Amino acid sequence: MARQVLLFIWFLSLSSALGQVSYSIPEEMSKGSLVGNIAQDLGLDVKRLKSGKARIYTGDSAEYIELNKDRGVLLIKERIDRETLCGQTTPCALHLQIIVENPMELYSVTVEVTDVNDHLPSFKRDEMRFRISESAVTGAVFALERAMDLDVGINGLQTYSLKPTDNFALKLQTQPDGSKIVEMVLQKQLDREKKEHLSLVLTAIDGGNPQLSGTAQIHITVLDANDNAPVFTQKIYKATIVENALRGTVLTTVSASDMDEGSYGKIKYLITNTIDAVPELFEINEENGEVRVTGIIDYEKAQHYQIHVQATDDGGLTDSSKIDVDVRDINDNKPLINIISKLSTISEQFGSGTVVTMINVQDPDAGENGKIHCTINENIPFTLTSTNTNFFSLVTDGDLDRERDSQYNISVICADEGVPSLSSSITLTLQISDVNDNAPVFEKSSYEAFVQENNTPGLSIFTVRARDADFNQNARVSYILEDSSVYGVPVSSLVSVSADSGVIHAVRSFDYEQIKDFHFRVKAQDGGSPPLSSNVSVKITIQDQNDNAPQVLYPVQSGGSVVAEIVPRSADMGYLVTKVVAVDVDSGQNAWLSYKLQKATDRALFEVGLQNGEIRTVRQVTDKDAVKQRLTVVVEDNGQPSRSATVNVNVAVADSFPEVISEFTDFTHDKEYNDNLTFYLVLALAVVSFLFIVSIIAILSVKCYRWRRDQMFYKNGANLPVIPYYPPLYADVGGTGTLQHVYNYDVCRTTDSRKSDLKFVRPSSESIISLDTSGTQAITHAQNKKLISEDFDDQQKPPSADWRFTQNQRPGPSGAAATPEVAMGTGPWPNPPTEAEQLQALMAAANEVSEATNTLTPGTMGLSTRYSPQFTLQHVPDYRQNVYIPGSTATLTANPQQPQQALPPSQASPVESEPPKAAQTPASKKKSAKKEKK
């Protein structure tokens, strides 16, 4: 016994180390009784039982044991009756599995239920009757009915007792399976005549503490002599039958013989089993001993049966035998699949080896019919492993990708190895939960869109789209415009992108002439945590519209000057007059320009090139052609609708420049009006007002300055000649042919040499030379009146045209002909006269005055004469002024018909410098006559 206890303790420790725990409890324990501390015995923490949702799995068995997760102990849930649970099977044990999740773990628990002596030994029949002949010999054996005790082991049936023992003794025979055959042996011959009926008490006793017992009455009727008892041919019969055999199937046939004759030799057969289901499954023919099947034979309920048969003759003598029946299994049960624990959803981030489902498969068949193998469908990242007998785990066998497969329907097929094989299957549905492991992907690697210029702000240009293979929030894509600059301005001021739809809108109107294309990047970001993103390059190309008219670069149009192209009269047909140069800031066909002659003074003389804008003569130029030719050229682009611009070209048909000047002095220019006329008028008014105020201030300043200077000269007694310098008229025609305005200068003179008062006259007015040699002579009233009249006439006359010069007639620095550089417009401006030139001018003026005074008569008080020096365009005076002669009251003024010349050139003779004569006044004629006489 001590050895068995040590072995049991060693088995418990070994089982615990292997993840298996065994307990032993007596039957009939009350509810809530403690079975064992499973947490301590398995080495688990109570918190682990709670977090892992530990539970007991018993399959289809009744749940007798429950798990208290708060205490970590096993408790009795239902009262356990060992006899109901296991019958006569020993040992009797409950097999449990404890399932713990997160991660999944399986522990086996075996609870052995020990027997309690809670059942009395009992007989199926309370009475047994025998008819025994008085002639029965001593030692005759009579089989008795065995008692039944549901307890096992020491609590089971142990022995019998028979009382009284006057004629009969009790004989017990132990069978190899441990059961006992109870027989009653005749010890003392019966005597019917003494006692015809005997009553005995058979007591069955178990080994429990206290002992329990059951009794049965044996009634014996003493018969007349029957000398021979029936004898079976075999003490033990062997038979085999397959389960599910049809009712009526013959199992076997038993036989017995009796040497007696008559009624004592007639035998009847009887099945004597009382404590099992044999009477319901089998029957025997009492006449011939044929045993047949009357019930359903199920291998899964019982694999072996013992049928006890008895043969009895009419004399009451009996014999007994038994039939050992082996039940042969057939494959009549499919594997039963039970899901112990499963996950309905698993994240795609879990790797290989993750337990998804645990199943238990049971097949009550035996041998090959009960061997099970399970498979799952192929080409899925899962595998089925066996963790224990008939326990399987479905685990991941590769990486999961929700974007590849968001759901798996896993078919588990379990089949036995019987012939034919039976199988069963279940389908497990497993959802793969999403992880944000995919960034949005644009449909294109880059985008390019086109938009017409002058678009309306807010115009939808095009749409970018990105797809995210993830699910739900992880696949919700938002579009963001990345910060960048385009030509120094933020790209957000040009375009915007809709965060939800990816539609790109124009923020403002585009101008092709400012921006032809630009690039930016759009980022697509999902709603995961953390978010993933990708970006794409977008190019916006602005398409041109014909929104700009051509612009004429040459010839330049100016409202204040006239541009003229000179065509010699000797020009032949095809002579290139000029070329109209125009540009259009548009592009493509919108910038293709064509030139057309809209108006012309003589359409038969000129033509314009359609593509190049060259203006050429169509025919030979003749003398009959007008000098002034005005052409209007239209420059038109090729847009739809087309835009155009016009330019006026002035052409002079002449062989010499003076002819051009004389013809174009009164050439009028067309005024061009633009759309912003009001603005320019206001601007011009403001500028003119400003210049007027500045001019008034400048004139006052000059007046004041001159007055102060004259005052200083008068006080200091300066007798120097007054020779103010005025720069000559300079007309810059340059290469443009623009004829500049004529500048007219006022000439000042003194009315008295002893006074500083100045008298302003116009340069083209008639000047008077007043000579007062004595200093006391006075001008007569008539002379004074004439002087005033002539002075007034001078002021009313228009400016002389002789002051206008051609390009090759610019004055030199000393009144001589201009140098070639100056004549061509490339030389410097004229320089003021030097001191030597001023002295030479004074001497020449004195000689002229002395000649004039010699012609005066002695009695004359005063004489007015006109001084008209001759000049050509090669001898232009450098300046015009009144010359004051020291020591004289005479003042030299210029001829009103000619520009003044204070210093006539000494190099030129009068004959060489004689210009074409103009109409002379009487004064000039008189002076000329006097010179000729002299």
Side-chain angles (χ1 to χ4, degrees):
M1 188 66 180
R3 183 180 300 172
Q4 291 180 354
V5 172
L6 291 176
L7 288 174
F8 182 71
I9 294 174
W10 175 82
F11 175 74
L12 287 179
S13 61
L14 179 62
S15 298
S16 177
L18 296 177
Q20 298 180 353
V21 178
S22 298
Y23 297 99
S24 179
I25 61 172
E27 65 172 333
E28 303 296 337
M29 292 181 68
S30 60
K31 292 183 181 180
S33 299
L34 177 65
V35 176
N37 192 329
I38 187 65
Q40 178 179 351
D41 295 338
L42 289 178
L44 298 177
D45 192 357
V46 176
K47 295 181 180 179
R48 169 68 176 135
L49 297 178
K50 292 181 180 179
S51 63
K53 300 179 181 179
R55 65 183 186 279
I56 294 177
Y57 173 77
T58 60
D60 293 336
S61 302
E63 295 184 4
Y64 295 100
I65 307 296
E66 66 177 356
L67 174 64
N68 188 320
K69 290 182 286 187
D70 295 331
R71 297 168 54 193
V73 296
L74 295 178
L75 303 177
I76 298 296
K77 184 178 181 181
E78 296 291 341
R79 185 182 296 272
I80 302 174
D81 185 2
R82 194 205 66 80
E83 289 74 29
T84 303
L85 181 63
C86 300
Q88 296 297 311
T89 302
T90 183
C92 180
L94 293 173
H95 298 283
L96 312 175
Q97 282 76 37
I98 295 181
I99 308 298
V100 182
E101 297 180 355
N102 297 323
M104 288 188 181
E105 294 178 339
L106 180 67
Y107 300 96
S108 297
V109 179
T110 301
V111 179
E112 182 183 4
V113 181
T114 59
D115 186 52
V116 175
N117 191 22
D118 55 346
H119 293 87
L120 299 173
S122 61
F123 294 90
K124 187 174 183 181
R125 293 181 296 177
D126 295 335
E127 295 180 354
M128 291 180 284
R129 296 185 180 274
F130 292 91
R131 298 176 70 187
I132 301 175
S133 175
E134 62 178 344
S135 61
V137 297
T138 304
V141 178
F142 302 93
L144 302 178
E145 179 183 343
R146 293 181 299 170
M148 178 181 63
D149 194 338
L150 296 179
D151 296 327
V152 295
I154 193 64
N155 295 324
L157 182 62
Q158 298 296 321
T159 185
Y160 294 86
S161 64
L162 183 63
K163 291 181 180 181
T165 58
D166 295 341
N167 297 96
F168 295 90
L170 193 62
K171 181 181 179 182
L172 301 176
Q173 294 182 5
T174 303
Q175 300 295 313
D177 59 355
S179 62
K180 292 180 173 59
I181 297 176
V182 183
E183 296 176 334
M184 184 175 60
V185 180
L186 182 61
Q187 292 182 345
K188 181 180 178 181
Q189 193 170 8
L190 298 175
D191 189 355
R192 176 180 173 275
E193 289 75 23
K194 289 183 178 180
K195 197 171 185 179
E196 185 177 0
H197 297 283
L198 298 176
S199 294
L200 304 177
V201 177
L202 180 62
T203 304
I205 304 171
D206 61 21
N209 186 15
Q211 290 183 336
L212 301 178
S213 61
T215 60
Q217 296 291 326
I218 300 175
H219 298 284
I220 300 174
T221 300
V222 180
L223 301 176
D224 198 10
N226 183 15
D227 298 337
N228 295 288
V231 178
F232 279 99
T233 58
Q234 297 179 22
K235 281 295 183 183
I236 298 176
Y237 291 88
K238 298 289 185 179
T240 302
I241 190 171
V242 297
E243 66 172 328
N244 299 328
L246 298 177
R247 292 180 179 179
T249 301
V250 177
L251 176 64
T252 188
T253 301
V254 298
S255 64
S257 61
D258 194 331
M259 299 301 294
D260 292 330
E261 293 182 355
S263 60
Y264 294 118
K266 188 178 181 179
I267 301 173
K268 292 182 179 181
Y269 299 95
L270 177 67
I271 294 177
T272 60
N273 290 65
T274 57
I275 62 174
D276 50 26
V278 169
E280 287 78 22
L281 299 177
F282 304 97
E283 67 178 3
I284 189 170
N285 190 322
E286 64 179 8
E287 298 296 335
N288 57 18
E290 186 180 72
V291 180
R292 293 177 178 274
V293 176
T294 59
I296 297 176
I297 306 301
D298 189 356
Y299 177 84
E300 287 70 41
K301 292 183 178 179
Q303 296 83 35
H304 182 77
Y305 293 99
Q306 282 187 350
I307 303 174
H308 296 275
V309 295
Q310 178 178 299
T312 304
D313 59 16
D314 286 345
L317 299 177
T318 63
D319 193 11
S320 62
S321 180
K322 70 176 182 177
I323 305 172
D324 288 336
V325 181
D326 292 327
V327 180
R328 191 175 64 204
D329 181 50
I330 63 173
N331 193 23
D332 61 341
N333 291 281
K334 294 181 179 180
L336 180 62
I337 302 175
N338 299 313
I339 298 177
I340 299 176
S341 179
K342 73 171 183 177
L343 297 177
S344 59
T345 302
I346 185 173
S347 175
E348 62 177 332
Q349 67 182 353
F350 287 116
S352 300
T354 303
V355 179
V356 176
T357 304
M358 297 184 70
I359 61 176
N360 170 250
V361 184
Q362 296 177 353
D363 193 331
D365 293 329
E368 298 297 324
N369 296 331
K371 291 183 179 180
I372 303 169
H373 63 274
C374 296
T375 59
I376 59 175
N377 45 315
E378 298 179 351
N379 300 324
I380 58 175
F382 298 94
T383 186
L384 203 61
T385 61
S386 178
T387 57
N388 202 342
T389 304
N390 295 338
F391 283 89
F392 298 89
S393 295
L394 181 66
V395 298
T396 56
D397 188 28
D399 293 332
L400 303 178
D401 188 357
R402 191 209 66 83
E403 290 69 42
R404 184 180 64 238
D405 293 296
S406 61
Q407 175 180 302
Y408 289 96
N409 293 321
I410 306 170
S411 297
V412 180
I413 303 174
C414 295
D416 57 29
E417 297 183 5
V419 180
S421 177
L422 299 179
S423 64
S424 58
S425 64
I426 60 172
T427 299
L428 304 174
T429 300
L430 183 64
Q431 300 287 341
I432 308 301
S433 62
D434 186 50
V435 174
N436 191 25
D437 57 348
N438 289 277
V441 178
F442 283 94
E443 295 176 348
K444 297 181 180 179
S445 59
S446 63
Y447 290 87
E448 182 174 4
F450 300 88
V451 60
Q452 293 281 347
E453 68 171 329
N454 302 320
N455 59 287
T456 58
L459 174 68
S460 174
I461 301 177
F462 74 109
T463 303
V464 295
R465 294 190 183 279
R467 306 293 182 186
D468 197 316
D470 293 323
F471 179 69
N472 207 357
Q473 185 68 23
N474 295 331
R476 185 172 298 169
V477 179
S478 299
Y479 301 92
I480 303 171
L481 184 65
E482 291 190 351
D483 292 335
S484 61
S485 61
V486 177
Y487 302 108
V489 298
V491 71
S492 59
S493 64
L494 301 178
V495 293
S496 65
V497 61
S498 175
D500 296 329
S501 62
V503 177
I504 295 179
H505 298 272
V507 174
R508 69 181 187 185
S509 179
F510 297 122
D511 188 357
Y512 175 83
E513 287 69 41
Q514 294 181 358
I515 300 177
K516 293 181 173 54
D517 59 61
F518 59 95
H519 296 76
F520 60 92
R521 300 187 73 83
V522 176
K523 180 171 70 173
Q525 179 175 289
D526 59 27
S529 180
L532 300 179
S533 63
S534 62
N535 51 36
V536 68
S537 175
V538 180
K539 179 181 178 182
I540 303 295
T541 301
I542 312 301
Q543 293 181 332
D544 183 49
Q545 285 186 337
N546 193 23
D547 58 343
N548 290 279
Q551 298 178 1
V552 178
L553 301 181
Y554 184 83
V556 179
Q557 299 296 296
S558 175
S561 63
V562 177
V563 178
E565 303 292 342
I566 301 176
V567 177
R569 295 188 179 277
S570 61
D572 203 353
M573 181 179 65
Y575 178 81
L576 178 61
V577 178
T578 186
K579 181 177 182 180
V580 178
V581 180
V583 295
D584 195 326
V585 294
D586 294 325
S587 66
Q589 66 177 6
N590 296 330
W592 297 349
L593 302 180
S594 59
Y595 302 84
K596 297 178 183 178
L597 186 61
Q598 185 181 39
K599 293 189 301 181
T601 305
D602 187 355
R603 278 187 171 273
L605 182 58
F606 300 100
E607 68 176 359
V608 62
L610 180 64
Q611 303 296 334
N612 54 21
E614 294 179 349
I615 299 177
R616 295 179 180 271
T617 58
V618 180
R619 57 176 174 79
Q620 176 74 39
V621 179
T622 64
D623 294 337
K624 296 179 180 181
D625 293 324
V627 176
K628 294 189 294 184
Q629 298 284 338
R630 185 184 183 94
L631 309 179
T632 302
V633 178
V634 177
V635 185
E636 188 177 24
D637 59 26
N638 198 35
Q640 292 296 332
S642 63
R643 293 176 177 266
S644 62
T646 60
V647 59
N648 295 322
V649 180
N650 299 315
V651 179
V653 181
D655 291 327
S656 62
F657 196 73
E659 185 180 359
V660 175
I661 294 176
S662 62
E663 291 292 340
F664 276 82
T665 53
D666 57 347
F667 199 96
T668 59
H669 293 273
D670 293 336
K671 296 182 179 179
E672 296 180 356
Y673 297 94
N674 53 31
D675 296 337
N676 298 324
L677 180 60
T678 302
F679 171 74
Y680 289 116
L681 289 176
V682 174
L683 180 62
L685 180 61
V687 172
V688 169
S689 301
F690 175 76
L691 293 178
F692 176 74
I693 295 173
V694 172
S695 300
I696 295 300
I697 296 174
I699 292 172
L700 293 177
S701 301
V702 171
K703 293 283 187 180
C704 182
Y705 171 73
R706 287 180 177 178
W707 180 80
R708 289 178 59 85
R709 185 184 60 182
D710 292 340
Q711 286 290 97
M712 291 176 63
F713 285 161
Y714 179 74
K715 290 180 181 180
N716 295 330
N719 294 322
L720 294 176
V722 180
I723 309 176
Y725 168 73
Y726 295 92
L729 175 64
Y730 179 79
D732 183 10
V733 295
T736 62
T738 303
L739 300 179
Q740 300 295 336
H741 293 289
V742 176
Y743 295 90
N744 298 323
Y745 294 91
D746 293 338
V747 180
C748 62
R749 65 183 179 181
T750 58
T751 57
D752 193 343
S753 61
R754 292 179 297 273
K755 297 181 180 179
S756 59
D757 295 336
L758 299 177
K759 182 176 182 180
F760 293 90
V761 297
R762 296 186 180 275
S764 58
S765 62
E766 186 176 41
S767 301
I768 302 298
I769 300 177
S770 299
L771 300 177
D772 187 4
T773 56
S774 62
T776 59
Q777 295 178 356
I779 300 175
T780 62
H781 177 73
Q783 292 176 340
N784 189 19
K785 183 176 181 180
K786 182 180 180 181
L787 179 61
I788 296 174
S789 176
E790 289 176 351
D791 189 19
F792 179 78
D793 292 339
D794 290 343
Q795 294 181 4
Q796 297 298 322
K797 289 181 180 180
S800 175
D802 294 336
W803 287 97
R804 303 172 184 171
F805 308 111
T806 63
Q807 184 175 2
N808 295 326
Q809 295 171 341
R810 297 180 181 177
S814 300
T819 61
E821 292 80 1
V822 175
M824 295 304 294
T826 59
W829 282 85
N831 297 321
T834 60
E835 295 179 357
E837 291 175 341
Q838 293 180 8
L839 180 60
Q840 186 179 4
L842 292 176
M843 294 173 64
N847 291 332
E848 292 290 336
V849 172
S850 62
E851 290 178 2
T853 55
N854 291 331
T855 62
L856 297 176
T857 58
T860 304
M861 295 295 294
L863 180 62
S864 297
T865 183
R866 298 183 183 272
Y867 175 70
S868 177
Q870 297 178 351
F871 67 96
T872 64
L873 292 175
Q874 286 77 15
H875 300 84
V876 180
D878 289 333
Y879 39 80
R880 295 173 296 158
Q881 70 278 338
N882 295 323
V883 179
Y884 171 73
I885 306 301
S888 174
T889 60
T891 302
L892 181 61
T893 59
N895 190 333
Q897 301 296 327
Q898 299 291 340
Q900 295 179 4
Q901 181 176 0
L903 184 61
S906 61
Q907 302 93 315
S909 64
V911 178
E912 294 175 352
S913 61
E914 183 178 358
K917 294 183 178 180
Q920 295 182 354
T921 61
S924 62
K925 290 180 180 180
K926 185 186 292 186
K927 185 177 180 181
S928 298
K930 289 181 179 181
K931 286 183 178 181
E932 290 174 358
K933 286 182 178 181
K934 189 175 181 180

